[in-house]
Amino acid sequence: MSLISVKKSTFKSLLTTGLLTKSFSHCAVIMLLSVATLQLTGCGDDVKPPEKQVVEEQPSRFSKDKKTHRHSYHPEWPKEVRDEVYGDKETFSTPRILFNAKVEWMKRKTLFSARMDGSDRRRIIPEAAFEGRGLIGSHTPKRSPDNRYIALSMDTTEHGFTRELWDTKTQQFILMSKGYGYAHFNWTKDSENVIFYASGKHYNYHVPTKALTERPIIYSNGLFLLPDGKTFLADKKNKYWLHDFNGDVIEKVDLGFNTQFTMQYLKVSPFGDYISFLSEGLGYPKYYWVNLSDPSKRITKPFKTGGYFFSDKKNKVLSPASRDSTELMGNGRPYPDYYFIELDLITKQEREILLKESNIWGMGTIYVFGVFNIKDEQ
């Protein structure tokens, strides 16, 4: 996404100064003032008050931008960026997607959330909060079940690589630990404990007491606490193992792939019924979805740009896509229409879900980390 600079209008006050030359006599000055007074009073009538001046409302920051035609196309969109408000019942009345994006006039990406159809887009972390730190975008942020906290990997000038929490209530970062490597954040169901890797060790951060303790390590390429809150699924390159909460092995599941095969970008569905990954090492990459209740049941799709993420509905996955709209922008080019392709893992049927608020604030393409605020099975 391009960053569009906003030109600031420069206003100059033109000052006109009237000079009375020394050639005017004192009487001439009095005569001129008297004539001016008669003109203002209408020769003795009541003084008419000047008409009220209409002050033109200053346009918003975005409407000054040269791409304001985006908003003339969607007049119902707010020109100013909406912020997410902790505890707002309307905002959290439905499942939402968590994604990062950049507003055109801002210098950096930050986290946003939106409803599943892309509407009600709201900024979670203000850009100014990232002063002296940057979000490591390749590490998936993880939101607490109560929606208050977001666990993040950061690159900071003060501490180097860190694991931090963003508190949406206090609007502050909380330093959990220093450390490098993939974090693979997990939350306990009570939103009190964050479990993560840092510098080759495994930790538990207790949010209420701010206590950091080391856990028995579970070696993995990615670790996922399943919805039961008791079982971990560990990515073992071309297979997965199940561990209890203390790290002991429960089951080793071999998916039948050879040693050259690697499961890339493994994810677990919000309902704990599927894993998904992109293959590497067996020809052209494919997306796989494996049913955890019967690992022999699997679905594949050829690689495509944008990838897939699990929906808020069971047995459904979503993939971002775009195409040119029939509507034209002010510059004569077509608007890009963004949409999700929903794939039903049972019927194999696909349908399109047109995204709302596409291009709002010049946002364009968004990178979706996943879905949160799923209260019940959909």
Side-chain angles (χ1 to χ4, degrees):
M1 290 178 285
S2 60
L3 186 67
I4 306 297
S5 61
V6 180
K7 295 183 179 180
K8 298 182 179 179
S9 300
T10 304
F11 298 94
K12 290 184 178 180
S13 299
L14 301 177
L15 302 179
T16 305
T17 306
L19 299 177
L20 294 177
T21 62
K22 293 182 180 180
S23 61
F24 281 174
S25 66
H26 180 70
C27 293
V29 172
I30 294 176
M31 184 178 296
L32 286 172
L33 291 174
S34 300
V35 171
T37 302
L38 286 172
Q39 289 176 339
L40 286 174
T41 59
C43 297
D45 293 337
D46 293 335
V47 178
K48 183 180 179 181
E51 293 184 4
K52 184 178 180 180
Q53 293 183 341
V54 178
V55 179
E56 183 180 355
E57 183 181 355
Q58 290 296 312
S60 72
R61 184 176 185 180
F62 188 82
S63 64
K64 294 178 185 178
D65 190 87
K66 63 183 179 181
K67 290 197 174 182
T68 185
H69 52 257
R70 298 180 193 233
H71 288 283
S72 63
Y73 178 59
H74 293 288
E76 74 276 13
W77 293 350
K79 292 183 175 67
E80 300 299 332
V81 177
R82 287 180 302 235
D83 288 316
E84 191 183 277
V85 178
Y86 169 75
D88 179 68
K89 292 183 179 179
E90 178 63 24
T91 300
F92 296 99
S93 62
T94 63
R96 296 179 71 85
I97 53 174
L98 178 69
F99 63 94
N100 70 355
K102 184 168 65 176
V103 176
E104 275 189 327
W105 60 81
M106 301 296 181
K107 293 182 179 180
R108 65 176 76 227
K109 288 184 177 181
T110 186
L111 290 182
F112 287 81
S113 74
R115 294 194 181 104
M116 296 302 300
D117 62 359
S119 64
D120 192 43
R121 299 189 183 195
R122 293 181 178 271
R123 176 174 52 190
I124 301 173
I125 307 178
E127 290 82 354
F130 286 103
E131 187 67 32
R133 51 165 55 85
L135 177 67
I136 300 178
S138 60
H139 292 200
T140 301
K142 197 67 176 291
R143 194 152 193 167
S144 61
D146 65 2
N147 295 320
R148 176 171 174 176
Y149 300 97
I150 303 175
L152 304 159
S153 289
M154 309 290 289
D155 185 2
T156 70
T157 54
E158 183 178 0
H159 301 293
F161 295 112
T162 61
R163 311 298 192 227
E164 303 194 35
L165 293 179
W166 174 256
D167 186 342
T168 62
K169 183 177 181 179
T170 64
Q171 295 286 289
Q172 292 179 331
F173 282 110
I174 299 170
L175 176 64
M176 294 189 292
S177 81
K178 301 177 185 179
Y180 55 84
Y182 280 97
H184 298 297
F185 296 110
N186 286 284
W187 283 92
T188 55
K189 297 174 75 172
D190 57 9
S191 299
E192 291 191 355
N193 300 278
V194 196
I195 299 167
F196 57 89
Y197 295 101
S199 300
K201 296 183 178 181
H202 209 201
Y203 292 99
N204 185 104
Y205 182 83
H206 187 242
V207 178
T209 62
K210 299 183 178 181
L212 181 69
T213 56
E214 189 173 347
R215 289 175 49 86
I217 192 166
I218 300 175
Y219 293 101
S220 73
N221 296 320
L223 191 68
F224 304 87
L225 184 60
L226 299 182
D228 65 7
K230 302 176 182 178
T231 309
F232 285 103
L233 185 148
D235 176 359
K236 295 289 187 176
K237 183 185 175 185
N238 53 20
K239 61 190 73 172
Y240 65 85
W241 293 5
L242 298 177
H243 297 253
D244 66 19
F245 194 77
N246 296 319
D248 294 329
V249 177
I250 301 172
E251 184 181 4
K252 298 179 181 181
V253 181
D254 191 336
L255 296 173
F257 299 120
N258 65 33
T259 54
Q260 282 73 46
F261 188 93
T262 301
M263 299 187 298
Q264 291 261 338
Y265 314 117
L266 189 140
K267 300 174 186 175
V268 177
S269 77
F271 307 105
D273 50 358
Y274 285 92
I275 60 171
S276 71
F277 53 87
L278 181 66
S279 69
E280 182 183 78
L282 287 179
Y284 194 76
K286 295 180 180 178
Y287 289 102
Y288 282 75
W289 294 272
V290 176
N291 191 319
L292 293 180
S293 62
D294 184 357
S296 65
K297 294 180 179 179
R298 55 193 69 178
I299 301 156
T300 62
K301 281 276 187 180
F303 171 79
K304 60 169 289 185
T305 304
Y308 291 85
F309 63 95
F310 283 105
S311 171
D312 62 308
K313 297 177 175 61
K314 290 196 73 172
N315 306 311
K316 302 284 199 307
V317 294
L318 299 168
S319 176
S322 67
R323 60 170 167 254
D324 287 344
S325 170
T326 56
E327 301 288 343
L328 300 180
M329 296 188 287
N331 58 12
R333 296 179 181 177
Y335 284 92
D337 279 340
Y338 294 93
Y339 58 99
F340 287 152
I341 300 173
E342 181 188 75
L343 169 64
D344 189 309
L345 297 177
I346 303 297
T347 66
K348 315 296 191 301
Q349 298 296 310
E350 294 184 347
R351 73 181 184 102
E352 293 183 1
I353 302 172
L354 188 64
L355 287 186
K356 297 180 180 178
E357 298 187 5
S358 293
N359 299 299
I360 189 171
W361 311 314
M363 190 174 287
T365 304
I366 61 177
Y367 181 82
V368 180
F369 290 111
V371 181
F372 69 96
N373 198 42
I374 303 175
K375 303 300 183 184
D376 302 299
E377 291 189 5
Q378 304 293 313

